[in-house]
């Protein structure tokens, strides 16, 4: 039968374009498909349209804590922070037993579990705030608390578990009777989880003295956080049913099940040491371990649905856990580096007055502000019940990359102070933890190159999913109608974006949309609207010109993902400024962040255009999107203005470093805070001394300086001496050999 024009357009002209998109379909749950089909999408989808509705963003209720959650932060959370001595934890190799007991007794492992199961039933924002606060005191403790609430079996049970599974396991997880871990990464399969060799075979076996149908498991996992102390594993494996006992396919695919670690054949307990961090992490394995079918999370009906479950359930955790740790690291870096740069003097002036240092301080202030803004917006979306798979990828990769930049800036300014390890070094564990954050929960290289734009296009593009699904339908008239409706909608959308992009680019965004009543930020919204239109147009052209080959053009996909990421992060910055009442004193942070982001987006779009295989499309896109080149980024004056915000106490500084403060009287952080406050308070006295041309030791009774003022200056000198001091150790503390043994060996 001759092919109709509609069939030719669908099957010959356009079908190759959507081969790339079809590869993303297995990550979508039915709930997500239905939500996208019904138009129930969130801000990431708005950005993909090229014409974001800014009012929709601003109308999103900001993340807020309940009174119960605030009480928990001020009570058990602060009490836990007071028990944490990070240097000692690192030396001892684990949290102290009393800390483990406190965490379990106060239900830190049950933050996301509803109260009816004995959990705390906290919001995602409270979960994030608690992890962030603990992480400022100890990375090990922060990771220990975050994992059961984000990567453990708890989230999977809440979303997919049977009533019987929830009723039995969730109260035990909440009370700490069981310590959970999620075992996904195989020895021979890292980011490519589908290549795992861990297997489960449906068969008959003995369970509690009876023969039942179950699964015989064999696995070997590594990098499993809390694995060495876990009593319950959430295990991912490939399930097969060679005898057809389930009446389904023989090869069912990735499946998730609950495996108590006291079962015969389970080997557990050995430890990895991830970049010197002492949170519990290690390998585990199982040989011929038998479990009944009701240990499959969700029961037998969910056999083979493990990959979909993981993508759906663990997305929330990726959007909370490491972004919270990253925000803690950035705010801690800003808090300590601003104070240190004010206290530490070289050539007779605070080092924070040198422009080279101010460049780092300006980045630190804006990075901390941006990460916390994005964390809050993400939590607000999650607390509305949104499935933020794309945003969680944006947050995980961008937050951890920016954590690395922030900690590096902080280390550069502190110099020798934070090079030397010891209890006085309040940054070193963050520095060591950076590669861990970048690698785990989906390596950043994979997330940036393949996931952010790949999953973003299928989930957020207004027409791509509909077109792709229509291609999978039968050759009925309805299928052709569905495809035609989506296809022509896409064409109309692209034509609008051409005019939108050209108009905004050639006018410098002067007439691009911005919401009402946003004050000084109006121009910043317009610049983001300009780049959103350019992104949408270039994304469509990339899909059109490359089709299925786009999945192999990972650098192009990564740059498209970078632009989408910047649009989301800067949306969060603008919303934070609006939610906090458009504070004029904070506006330099907002302006610096958006101007820097526009420069980044311009470079990414320029590089995409330069590397598109179709040079005809590339020439047209360059003329349409970047007629005058891209933004230069923030000025030096603006950078200095942002740096100054960290060098003196203010409400803006408090907002930048929110949640970072010392607990107890004897910590290095407390000494730094005290020195910073006294340095600022005694600034007039220091000026008096300078005007007199005398040092503190040269002051005499004839100089008529009050004794109380002299005491303050002597106290300041003492504190500054402690701040700039570094740790040293007796050789026996390091090697177990005394100094005399060294001498004897040398002789």
């Amino acid at each position: 039968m001759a092919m109709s024009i509609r069939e030719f357009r669908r099957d010959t002209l356009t079908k190759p374009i959507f081969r790339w998109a079809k590869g993303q379909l297995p990550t979508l749950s039915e709930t997500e498909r239905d939500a996208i089909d019904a138009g129930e999408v969130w801000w990431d989808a708005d950005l993909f349209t090229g014409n974001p509705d800014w009012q929709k963003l601003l109308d999103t209720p900001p993340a807020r804590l309940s009174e119960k959650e605030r009480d928990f932060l001020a009570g058990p959370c602060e009490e836990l922070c007071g028990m944490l001595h990070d240097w000692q934890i690192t030396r001892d190799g684990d949290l102290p037993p009393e800390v483990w007991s406190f965490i379990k007794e106060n239900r830190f492992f049950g933050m996301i579990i509803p109260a009816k199961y004995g959990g705390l039933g906290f919001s995602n924002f409270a979960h994030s705030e608690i992890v962030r606060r603990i992480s400022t005191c100890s990375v090990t403790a922060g990771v220990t608390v975050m994992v059961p609430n984000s990567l453990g079996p708890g989230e999977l049970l809440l979303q997919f578990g049977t009533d019987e599974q929830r009723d039995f396991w969730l109260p035990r997880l909440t009370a700490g009777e069981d310590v959970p871990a999620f075992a996904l990464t195989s020895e021979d399969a890292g980011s490519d989880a589908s290549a795992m060799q861990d297997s489960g075979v449906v068969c008959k076996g003995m369970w509690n003295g009876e023969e039942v149908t179950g699964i015989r498991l064999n696995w070997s996992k590594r990098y499993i956080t809390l694995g060495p102390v876990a009593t319950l594993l959430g295990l991912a494996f490939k399930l097969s049913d060679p005898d057809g006992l389930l009446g389904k396919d023989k090869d069912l695919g990735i499946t998730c099940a609950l495996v108590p670690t006291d079962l015969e054949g389970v080997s557990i307990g050995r430890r990895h040491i991830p970049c010197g961090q002492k949170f519990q992490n290690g390998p585990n394995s199982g040989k011929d371990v038998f479990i009944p079918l009701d240990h499959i999370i969700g029961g037998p009906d969910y056999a083979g649905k493990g990959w979909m479950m993981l993508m759906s359930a663990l997305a929330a955790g990726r959007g909370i856990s490491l972004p919270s740790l990253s925000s803690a690291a950035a705010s801690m870096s800003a808090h300590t580096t601003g104070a240190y740069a004010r206290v530490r003097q070289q050539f007779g002036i605070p080092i924070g007055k040198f422009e080279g240092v101010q460049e780092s301080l300006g980045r630190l202030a804006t990075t901390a502000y941006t990460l916390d803004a994005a964390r809050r917006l993400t939590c607000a979306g999650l607390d509305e019940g949104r499935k933020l798979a794309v945003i969680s990828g944006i947050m995980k990769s961008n937050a951890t990359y920016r954590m690395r930049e922030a900690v590096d800036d902080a280390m550069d300014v502190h110099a020798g102070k934070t090079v030397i390890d010891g209890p006085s070094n309040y940054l070193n564990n963050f520095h060591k933890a950076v590669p861990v954050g970048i690698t785990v929960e989906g390596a950043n290289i994979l997330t940036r190159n393949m996931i952010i734009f790949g999953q973003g296009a299928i989930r957020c593009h207004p027409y791509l999913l509909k077109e792709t699904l229509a291609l999978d339908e039968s050759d009925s008239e309805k299928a052709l109608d569905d495809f035609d409706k989506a296809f022509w909608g896409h064409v109309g959308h692209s034509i609008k974006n051409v005019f939108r992009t050209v108009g905004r680019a050639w006018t410098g965004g002067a007439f691009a949309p911005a919401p009402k009543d946003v004050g000084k930020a109006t121009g910043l919204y317009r610049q983001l609207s300009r780049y959103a239109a350019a992104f949408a147009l270039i994304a469509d052209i990339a899909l059109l010109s490359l089709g299925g080959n786009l999945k192999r053009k990972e650098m192009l996909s990564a740059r498209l993902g970078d632009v989408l990421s910047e649009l989301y992060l800067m949306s969060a910055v603008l919303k934070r400024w609006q939610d906090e009442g458009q504070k004029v004193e904070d506006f330099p942070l907002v302006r610096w962040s958006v101007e820097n982001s526009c420069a980044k987006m311009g470079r990414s779009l320029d590089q995409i255009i330069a590397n598109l295989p179709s040079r005809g499309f590339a020439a047209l896109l360059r003329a349409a999107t970047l007629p005058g080149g891209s933004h230069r980024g923030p000025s030096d004056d603006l950078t200095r203005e942002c740096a100054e915000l960290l060098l003196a106490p203010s409400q803006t500084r408090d907002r930048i470093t929110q949640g970072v403060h010392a607990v107890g009287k004897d910590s290095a952080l407390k000494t730094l805070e005290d020195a910073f406050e006294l340095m600022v308070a005694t600034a007039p006295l220091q000026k008096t001394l300078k005007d007199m041309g005398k040092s503190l030791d040269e002051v005499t009774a004839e100089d008529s300086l009050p004794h109380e003022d002299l005491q303050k200056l002597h106290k300041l000198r003492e504190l500054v001496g402690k701040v700039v001091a570094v740790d040293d150790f007796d050789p026996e503390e390091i090697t177990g050999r005394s100094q005399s043994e060294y001498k004897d060996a040398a002789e």
Side-chain angles (χ1 to χ4, degrees):
M1 184 180 294
M3 180 181 291
S4 70
I5 294 176
R6 293 204 302 168
E7 290 172 326
F8 176 76
R9 180 174 63 246
R10 185 189 71 170
D11 296 338
T12 304
L13 293 182
T14 60
K15 201 165 190 175
I17 297 173
F18 299 104
R19 288 175 186 155
W20 169 84
K22 286 182 68 176
Q24 304 293 332
L25 290 180
T27 68
L28 279 167
S29 67
E30 290 299 325
T31 303
E32 286 181 290
R33 291 192 189 194
D34 292 343
I36 294 169
D37 190 53
E40 298 172 1
V41 291
W42 202 52
W43 186 243
D44 45 348
D46 239 62
L47 295 172
F48 247 93
T49 66
N51 197 35
D53 181 354
W54 295 110
Q55 197 57 50
K56 175 181 176 182
L57 171 71
L58 298 183
D59 288 343
T60 300
R64 299 193 189 281
L65 297 174
S66 68
E67 183 178 355
K68 177 184 175 183
E69 292 166 346
R70 289 194 298 270
D71 289 344
F72 189 88
L73 266 166
C77 187
E78 279 300 303
E79 189 175 347
L80 174 60
C81 289
M83 301 169 69
L84 301 172
H85 303 284
D86 208 31
W87 171 250
Q88 197 58 48
I89 291 168
T90 302
R91 294 290 292 270
D92 292 344
D94 194 9
L95 297 173
E98 61 271 20
V99 170
W100 277 104
S101 297
F102 187 86
I103 288 172
K104 293 176 181 179
E105 290 167 5
N106 286 275
R107 297 178 290 172
F108 279 88
F109 288 166
M111 287 192 288
I112 66 168
I113 297 175
K116 70 176 183 177
Y117 300 111
L120 294 173
F122 282 171
S123 64
N124 291 287
F125 185 47
H127 170 196
S128 176
E129 286 281 279
I130 292 165
V131 168
R132 184 179 183 275
R133 175 63 187 130
I134 295 170
S135 297
T136 64
C137 301
S138 168
V139 172
T140 293
V143 171
T144 299
V145 168
M146 79 169 62
V147 166
N149 291 286
S150 59
L151 295 178
E155 181 72 26
L156 287 167
L157 284 168
L158 286 171
Q159 284 202 39
F160 303 106
T162 65
D163 289 339
E164 292 79 8
Q165 288 172 340
R166 294 189 189 115
D167 289 340
F168 180 79
W169 291 110
L170 291 180
R172 295 177 62 85
L173 293 174
T174 292
E177 294 177 44
D178 278 302
V179 176
F182 193 76
L184 173 61
T185 305
S186 299
E187 288 185 352
D188 48 5
S191 296
D192 183 10
S194 63
M196 69 173 68
Q197 299 299 309
D198 310 302
S199 65
V201 179
V202 179
C203 61
K204 297 288 185 178
M206 300 301 296
W207 185 260
N208 292 337
E210 297 182 9
E211 186 180 65
V212 299
T213 302
I215 303 169
R216 185 77 60 188
L217 294 164
N218 287 276
W219 77 86
S220 184
K221 302 288 190 180
R222 60 172 55 150
Y223 313 138
I224 309 306
T225 299
L226 294 189
V229 296
T231 61
L232 179 67
L233 289 179
L235 184 72
F237 57 93
K238 283 185 175 178
L239 181 63
S240 62
D241 183 15
D243 298 326
L245 297 178
L246 298 182
K248 301 180 181 180
D249 296 334
K250 289 187 177 181
D251 293 317
L252 297 170
I254 295 176
T255 301
C256 299
L258 299 169
V259 181
T261 59
D262 60 358
L263 293 180
E264 184 178 354
V266 177
S267 177
I268 203 163
R270 293 187 65 81
R271 292 182 63 179
H272 301 310
I273 303 176
C275 291
Q277 301 305 295
K278 297 304 174 64
F279 58 85
Q280 292 284 341
N281 183 281
N284 62 71
S285 61
K287 182 173 177 58
D288 294 332
V289 178
F290 184 80
I291 58 171
L293 288 177
D294 62 13
H295 277 43
I296 296 175
I297 297 176
D301 289 344
Y302 279 85
K305 296 182 179 180
W307 190 243
M308 176 276 295
M309 293 164 66
L310 292 172
M311 292 298 99
S312 178
L314 301 184
R318 292 181 80 213
I320 294 173
S321 56
L322 288 170
S324 300
L325 174 61
S326 299
S327 176
S331 292
M332 181 73 163
S333 295
H335 178 75
T336 56
T337 308
Y340 187 81
R342 179 63 183 269
V343 167
R344 181 67 159 135
Q345 295 192 357
Q346 292 287 277
F347 309 104
I349 61 173
I351 63 172
K353 297 300 181 181
F354 291 97
E355 282 200 356
V357 172
Q358 287 181 333
E359 186 175 11
S360 294
L361 290 176
R363 277 196 303 265
L364 274 171
T366 53
T367 298
Y369 187 89
T370 296
L371 286 185
D372 209 39
R375 179 184 68 91
R376 294 181 188 196
L377 179 58
T378 303
C379 289
L382 291 169
D383 283 334
E384 284 191 332
R386 309 283 185 179
K387 302 294 184 185
L388 305 183
V390 178
I391 288 174
S392 71
I394 290 173
M395 286 299 296
K396 188 272 169 179
S397 61
N398 283 271
T400 51
Y401 276 145
R402 290 176 190 234
M403 170 174 66
R404 176 167 65 188
E405 293 168 4
V407 175
D408 281 350
D409 275 332
M411 297 282 285
D412 284 350
V413 174
H414 280 81
K417 168 67 180 176
T418 49
V419 168
I420 304 302
D421 215 346
S424 298
N425 191 333
Y426 35 70
L427 289 177
N428 203 23
N429 267 343
F430 280 123
H431 190 253
K432 291 177 180 176
V434 164
V436 181
I438 285 173
T439 302
V440 301
E441 294 187 31
N444 279 9
I445 288 179
L446 172 72
T447 301
R448 176 176 175 262
N449 283 271
M450 301 178 71
I451 292 178
I452 293 175
F453 181 73
Q455 292 192 11
I458 198 68
R459 284 174 164 83
C460 303
H461 192 286
Y463 297 101
L464 188 59
L465 177 62
K466 296 173 184 178
E467 292 167 307
T468 306
L469 292 176
L471 290 174
D472 277 351
E473 295 178 8
S474 61
D475 291 331
S476 64
E477 280 298 312
K478 180 181 181 305
L480 289 171
D481 288 342
D482 288 345
F483 180 79
D484 268 3
K485 182 179 179 181
F487 175 79
W488 288 114
H490 193 162
V491 170
H493 162 76
S494 297
I495 292 172
K496 289 178 184 177
N497 258 337
V498 170
F499 288 103
R500 191 180 288 140
T501 301
V502 172
R504 294 176 188 177
W506 280 79
T507 60
F511 304 103
K516 296 178 180 178
D517 304 321
V518 293
K520 299 171 69 174
T522 299
L524 302 181
Y525 281 98
R526 286 179 173 156
Q527 289 305 313
L528 293 188
S529 291
R530 171 193 172 179
Y531 281 103
F535 163 74
L537 177 61
I538 291 177
D540 268 349
I541 296 300
L543 289 165
L544 174 65
S545 62
L546 290 168
N549 290 325
L550 183 56
K551 67 181 179 182
R552 288 183 287 275
K553 297 291 184 180
E554 293 177 17
M555 287 186 276
L556 290 181
S557 177
R559 293 178 187 123
L560 286 164
D562 290 343
V563 179
L564 180 60
S565 297
E566 290 295 331
L567 287 169
Y568 178 73
L569 295 172
M570 291 309 106
S571 299
V573 166
L574 290 171
K575 177 166 172 56
R576 176 179 180 179
W577 191 67
Q578 187 76 7
D579 288 343
E580 293 181 341
Q582 299 185 9
K583 298 187 183 301
V584 175
E585 57 270 31
D586 293 4
F587 189 69
L589 301 168
V590 178
R591 183 180 160 202
W592 194 101
S593 298
V594 175
E595 289 186 4
N596 185 59
S597 181
C598 287
K600 287 182 176 180
M601 288 189 285
R603 285 194 296 272
S604 293
L605 294 178
D606 176 66
Q607 290 167 351
I608 294 167
I609 293 168
N611 289 281
L612 272 178
S614 173
R615 301 316 302 155
F617 274 132
L620 292 172
L621 284 174
R622 185 172 299 283
T625 60
L626 299 171
S630 59
H631 280 75
R632 295 187 180 91
S635 68
D636 291 349
D637 286 343
L638 183 56
T639 299
R640 282 191 291 268
E641 195 174 352
C642 292
E644 290 290 342
L645 294 173
L646 294 181
L647 293 173
S650 68
Q651 291 183 349
T652 296
R653 190 182 195 278
D654 290 343
R655 284 187 288 273
I656 294 170
T657 64
Q658 177 265 329
V660 182
H661 56 265
V663 179
K665 298 180 180 180
D666 300 323
S667 70
L669 180 57
K670 177 62 174 171
T671 302
L672 175 63
E673 290 174 348
D674 289 345
F676 177 58
E677 292 176 8
L678 194 54
M679 178 68 75
V680 173
T682 59
L685 296 176
Q686 296 172 56
K687 186 177 184 304
T688 299
L689 276 184
K690 187 174 182 180
D691 291 343
M692 293 167 55
K694 291 188 175 184
S695 68
L696 182 57
D697 292 329
E698 293 171 337
V699 174
T700 66
E702 297 176 358
D703 293 313
S704 301
L705 282 177
H707 178 68
E708 182 180 340
D709 288 346
L710 289 174
Q711 282 186 316
K712 289 179 181 178
L713 291 172
H714 281 287
K715 179 64 175 177
L716 175 62
R717 184 163 65 179
E718 177 191 345
L719 288 172
V720 170
K722 291 180 178 179
V723 165
V724 301
V726 295
D727 298 292
D728 53 61
F729 303 90
D730 187 286
E732 193 169 359
E733 293 182 76
I734 300 173
T735 66
R737 298 170 66 185
S738 67
Q739 190 70 27
S740 60
E741 289 177 297
Y742 273 109
K743 290 181 179 179
D744 291 342
E747 293 173 358

